[in-house]
C-alpha cells in the first residue's frame, strides 16, 4: 500500500500548477493529484484501487496519473512512496502493486493487451466516463459498436493513455476524412501516440496544421508539380511566409509563379518570393492590381528586349539564393 508523504504543513496548489501544468492534463489526473495531496497532508495511506473507487476512476487511471505527474516533476514516486514538496530520490521507478501493462510496452502488439469482452462491458457500465464515451463514439461513427470496437476504444483509453476528450477528437478527425473503420482509426491513434499527440492542445494543433497543408499547401504543391515528394523545410518556409506574413492567396501565388516561368523558364521559390514580397510592400492584394503593376513595369522598360526582360531584378542570382536557403533550412 503506497504511503503518501509531504514536507508541507498546508495544502497549496500553486499558480504555476494551475496555469501551466493543469491546463493540458487529463481531468482524471488532476483529481488524482489533488486527492493524493490531501492524503499526504493527513498522513493517510491508500492503495490505488481504493483511490480509484473513491474517485470513480479505473485503477489504471490512478497509475497513469502518478506516472504523468512524476514525468512533469510535480511529485516523486519512489517504490511505494509518493513524495510531494521536493525530490527525495533521483529514482523515478514506480512500484505500486499493479498488473497494468506499461503504456509504451508492445504498443503494436495490442491484441495481447486487450481486456475480454466481458470485462470491457463491465467497465463500460460501471464507469460513467466510459459509458458516456461509448455513447458519443456510437453517435460519431453512426453505428452500434461491437465487442471488437469496444475493446479497441478501451485500449485507446487504458493503454495509449488518451483522455475521453482526445478519443472523441480522434474519432471526429477520422470521420472528417470519411474513415469510420476502427482498424484505420487504430492506426491513426498509434501514430498520434508515437508522435506525442496525446493532449487536446496537441491534437488541435495537429488538425490545424493538417488543414493548412491539405488546403493552401496542397493546392500550391499541385500548381508547382510537386506531387511525388514532400516540401523541403525551406520550401515550406516560403509558403508559410506568403500565407501568414504576406497574406497572399493561391491565385496571387499562381500569378507570381506564371511570371517566374516567363522570366526564368523554371520553378524558383526565391524568384517567386521576390515578386510576392514586392507586391506586399506595395500593398497589392488582388490579381487586377498585380497585373496592372506588371504592365506598368513593362511599359517603363520597353527599351529592353522582351526575351531578356526580367520582371523583378534580373541581376539577382536566384539559383544561389535557393542553394543558400536549402543549406540553411534543409540540413
Amino acid at each position: 500500500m503506497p504511503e503518501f508523504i509531504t514536507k508541507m504543513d498546508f495544502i497549496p496548489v500553486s499558480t504555476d500548477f494551475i496555469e501551466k501544468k493543469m491546463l493540458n492534463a487529463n481531468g482524471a489526473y488532476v483529481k488524482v493529484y489533488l486527492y493524493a495531496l490531501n492524503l499526504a497532508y493527513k498522513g493517510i495511506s491508500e492503495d490505488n484501487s481504493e483511490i480509484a473507487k473513491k474517485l470513480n476512476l479505473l485503477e489504471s487511471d490512478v497509475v497513469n496519473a502518478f506516472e504523468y505527474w512524476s514525468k512533469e516533476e510535480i511529485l516523486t514516486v519512489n517504490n511505494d512512496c509518493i513524495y510531494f514538496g521536493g525530490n527525495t530520490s533521483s529514482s523515478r521507478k514506480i512500484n505500486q502493486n499493479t498488473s497494468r501493462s506499461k503504456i509504451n510496452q508492445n504498443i503494436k502488439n495490442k491484441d495481447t493487451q486487450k481486456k475480454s469482452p466481458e470485462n470491457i462491458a463491465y467497465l463500460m457500465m460501471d464507469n460513467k466516463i466510459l459509458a458516456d464515451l461509448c455513447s458519443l463514439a456510437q453517435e460519431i461513427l453512426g453505428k452500434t459498436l461491437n465487442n471488437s470496437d469496444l475493446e479497441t476504444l478501451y485500449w485507446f483509453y487504458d493503454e495509449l493513455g488518451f483522455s475521453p476528450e482526445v478519443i472523441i477528437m480522434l474519432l471526429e478527425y477520422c470521420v472528417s476524412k470519411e474513415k469510420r473503420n476502427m482498424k484505420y482509426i487504430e492506426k491513426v491513434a498509434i501514430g498520434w501516440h508515437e508522435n506525442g499527440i496525446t493532449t487536446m492542445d496537441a491534437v488541435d494543433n495537429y488538425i490545424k496544421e493538417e488543414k493548412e497543408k491539405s488546403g493552401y499547401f496542397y493546392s500550391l504543391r499541385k500548381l508547382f508539380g510537386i506531387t511525388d515528394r514532400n516540401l523541403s523545410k525551406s520550401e515550406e518556409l516560403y509558403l508559410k511566409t506568403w500565407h501568414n506574413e504576406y497574406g497572399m492567396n493561391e491565385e496571387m501565388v499562381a500569378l507570381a509563379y506564371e511570371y517566374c516561368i516567363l522570366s526564368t523558364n523554371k520553378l524558383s521559390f526565391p524568384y517567386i518570393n521576390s515578386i510576392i514580397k514586392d507586391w506586399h510592400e506595395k500593398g497589392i492584394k488582388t490579381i487586377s492590381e498585380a497585373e496592372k503593376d506588371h504592365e506598368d513595369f513593362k511599359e517603363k522598360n520597353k527599351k529592353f528586349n522582351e526575351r531578356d526582360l526580367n520582371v523583378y531584378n534580373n541581376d539577382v542570382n536566384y539559383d544561389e539564393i535557393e542553394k543558400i536557403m536549402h543549406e540553411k533550412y534543409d540540413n
Side-chain angles (χ1 to χ4, degrees):
M1 179 180 297
E3 179 184 0
F4 297 87
I5 302 171
T6 180
K7 297 178 181 179
M8 302 174 288
D9 58 358
F10 55 95
I11 308 176
V13 179
S14 70
T15 56
D16 181 72
F17 173 83
I18 295 172
E19 295 175 357
K20 296 180 181 179
K21 301 294 185 180
M22 184 182 73
L23 298 181
N24 293 325
N26 185 328
Y29 295 176
V30 176
K31 287 175 64 176
V32 172
Y33 172 80
L34 295 175
Y35 184 79
L37 186 61
N38 180 62
L39 292 177
Y41 174 71
K42 294 181 177 179
I44 299 173
S45 296
E46 284 187 7
D47 60 28
N48 294 330
S49 61
E50 290 175 313
I51 295 173
K53 184 176 180 180
K54 288 184 177 179
L55 296 179
N56 192 31
L57 298 172
L58 301 175
E59 185 173 342
S60 59
D61 289 333
V62 178
V63 177
N64 285 336
F66 289 135
E67 287 183 355
Y68 177 82
W69 293 124
S70 177
K71 290 176 183 177
E72 291 291 314
E73 300 184 346
I74 295 297
L75 50 78
T76 301
V77 180
N78 184 17
N79 294 324
D80 280 346
C81 291
I82 297 174
Y83 298 89
F84 295 85
N87 292 344
T88 60
S89 170
S90 60
S91 173
R92 295 289 181 184
K93 183 178 179 181
I94 296 177
N95 178 16
Q96 294 175 271
N97 299 320
T98 177
S99 61
R100 186 190 70 85
S101 299
K102 291 183 179 179
I103 291 176
N104 291 321
Q105 183 178 354
N106 298 322
I107 279 291
K108 293 188 177 179
N109 189 24
K110 66 173 180 45
D111 291 335
T112 63
Q113 301 172 9
K114 285 183 176 179
K115 305 289 189 297
S116 69
E118 293 78 13
N119 287 338
I120 294 295
Y122 172 78
L123 290 167
M124 289 293 184
M125 290 186 296
D126 191 56
N127 187 289
K128 186 178 185 303
I129 295 174
L130 293 180
D132 291 343
L133 172 61
C134 179
S135 297
L136 284 171
Q138 292 185 137
E139 289 182 20
I140 293 168
L141 296 175
K143 67 174 185 177
T144 300
L145 301 180
N146 58 34
N147 285 341
S148 178
D149 294 333
L150 290 175
E151 290 173 25
T152 302
L153 199 66
Y154 181 77
W155 187 75
F156 295 159
Y157 178 81
D158 186 51
E159 292 297 333
L160 296 187
F162 286 0
S163 69
E165 294 83 4
V166 168
I167 295 174
I168 293 303
M169 294 177 77
L170 167 69
L171 298 177
E172 290 177 339
Y173 170 77
C174 292
V175 168
S176 73
K177 292 182 170 293
E178 300 184 353
K179 301 291 186 180
R180 299 171 186 269
N181 182 278
M182 196 60 80
K183 288 293 183 183
Y184 175 87
I185 297 171
E186 181 183 298
K187 289 180 181 179
V188 174
I190 292 173
W192 283 10
H193 183 273
E194 290 177 345
N195 289 285
I197 306 171
T198 58
T199 66
M200 292 181 67
D201 283 345
V203 173
D204 191 49
N205 289 334
Y206 171 79
I207 292 174
K208 286 180 180 178
E209 289 176 1
E210 283 295 300
K211 286 181 178 179
E212 181 183 79
K213 290 179 181 178
S214 64
Y216 193 81
F217 277 40
Y218 176 78
S219 63
L220 292 184
R221 280 180 60 190
K222 188 175 180 180
L223 171 70
F224 298 151
I226 303 175
T227 58
D228 57 347
R229 65 173 177 83
N230 293 325
L231 293 171
S232 68
K233 291 180 181 178
S234 60
E235 290 169 345
E236 280 194 6
L237 180 60
Y238 276 123
L239 266 63
K240 288 180 180 179
T241 300
W242 301 340
H243 183 269
N244 299 335
E245 185 177 341
Y246 297 155
M248 297 293 170
N249 59 31
E250 293 96 323
E251 290 76 16
M252 292 292 286
V253 177
L255 183 61
Y257 172 63
E258 181 183 333
Y259 291 158
C260 170
I261 295 299
L262 287 173
S263 296
T264 67
N265 293 315
K266 68 174 184 177
L267 169 64
S268 171
F269 280 85
Y271 191 91
I272 295 173
N273 185 67
S274 70
I275 297 174
I276 294 176
K277 182 179 179 181
D278 184 69
W279 287 344
H280 174 69
E281 291 174 349
K282 292 177 179 177
I284 295 173
K285 296 294 183 181
T286 66
I287 295 294
S288 59
E289 290 173 342
E291 289 176 338
K292 184 178 184 304
D293 179 73
H294 181 60
E295 291 302 321
D296 289 346
F297 184 86
K298 287 200 298 182
E299 188 68 27
K300 292 177 182 178
N301 292 275
K302 279 185 177 179
K303 62 181 180 179
F304 292 105
N305 184 288
E306 185 68 22
R307 184 191 55 160
D308 298 323
L309 177 63
N310 188 333
V311 182
Y312 290 93
N313 193 2
N314 197 42
D315 295 330
V316 179
N317 189 332
Y318 292 102
D319 288 335
E320 185 64 27
I321 292 176
E322 196 151 13
K323 180 181 178 182
I324 293 171
M325 288 293 288
H326 280 296
E327 289 176 349
K328 182 176 182 180
Y329 293 103
D330 296 336
N331 294 330

